Amino acid sequence: MLLLAAACLALGARPARAQEVRAPYTEQQAVVGEAYFRGYCLECHGAADMANESFKAKWHGRPAFDLFERLRTSMPDGAPGSLPRQTYADIVAYFLKLNGVPVGAMPLGADSLVLSRVRLELRASATTPSTR
Ligand code: HEC
């Protein structure tokens, strides 16, 4: 273990760290993401499932890439990966909105490296939607 750490230091290798990006998506993107969610996901999930305490506890602090990749590789159930990458990113943006993350000027992209640098900052204070 120590040897590995020393080797990494010697090579100057640093693992990519997710950083807090305060506003990693746009309002418009969240609207688009919501439409996709209604079309592809709502038959099995309510929006409230994506902003409840267990969702926040599971994803808070992790890179946006983890959530994106979880969706892309397993959802919609029965047809994983069937949507364009940007559609998954737009749905993630909608989830950010549901979880009270502030909107910004740039949309969330579907590039893995960029997604891995965005840290999910899910707010407990977000208003949870009550209807499906
Ligand atoms: C046909 C039903 C079905 C559809 C459609 C579907 N899901 Fe799922 N989803 C499930 C089931 C069942 C699970 C739990 C099993 C699992 O984790 O794979 C799940 C799990 C999840 C989870 C994990 C929740 C957690 O707490 O980790 C997320 C997030 C999710 N779905 C998002 C989506 C999104 C986004 C879409 C639309 C693109 C979608 N699902 C479409 C059935 C569905």
Side-chain angles (χ1 to χ4, degrees):
M1 193 59 187
L2 212 75
L3 215 68
L4 188 71
C8 283
L9 273 179
L11 292 169
R14 288 220 187 98
R17 275 294 194 82
Q19 304 154 353
E20 179 174 4
V21 178
R22 292 206 62 80
Y25 70 107
T26 64
E27 178 73 46
Q28 171 64 26
Q29 185 180 24
V31 170
V32 170
E34 178 173 10
Y36 286 133
F37 185 81
R38 287 177 179 279
Y40 295 115
C41 322
L42 198 64
E43 63 174 289
C44 301
H45 300 287
D49 300 341
M50 305 305 168
N52 62 22
E53 286 314 311
S54 74
F55 185 90
K56 287 179 203 292
K58 184 165 185 180
W59 297 105
H60 178 77
R62 291 170 64 176
F65 178 74
D66 289 8
L67 178 54
F68 170 88
E69 199 64 2
R70 169 74 160 92
L71 300 184
R72 199 182 65 80
T73 58
S74 69
M75 294 294 135
D77 198 33
S82 60
L83 307 176
R85 288 177 67 90
Q86 188 58 51
T87 299
Y88 289 106
D90 294 344
I91 292 171
V92 170
Y94 171 52
F95 290 176
L96 297 181
K97 173 89 185 186
L98 289 176
N99 284 280
V101 177
V103 296
M106 294 284 288
L108 184 69
D111 180 77
S112 300
L113 194 63
V114 174
L115 285 164
S116 69
R117 291 191 170 146
V118 174
R119 192 155 67 108
L120 298 172
E121 283 290 323
L122 310 181
R123 311 292 151 132
S125 60
T127 48
T128 307
S130 53
T131 54
R132 291 173 66 110

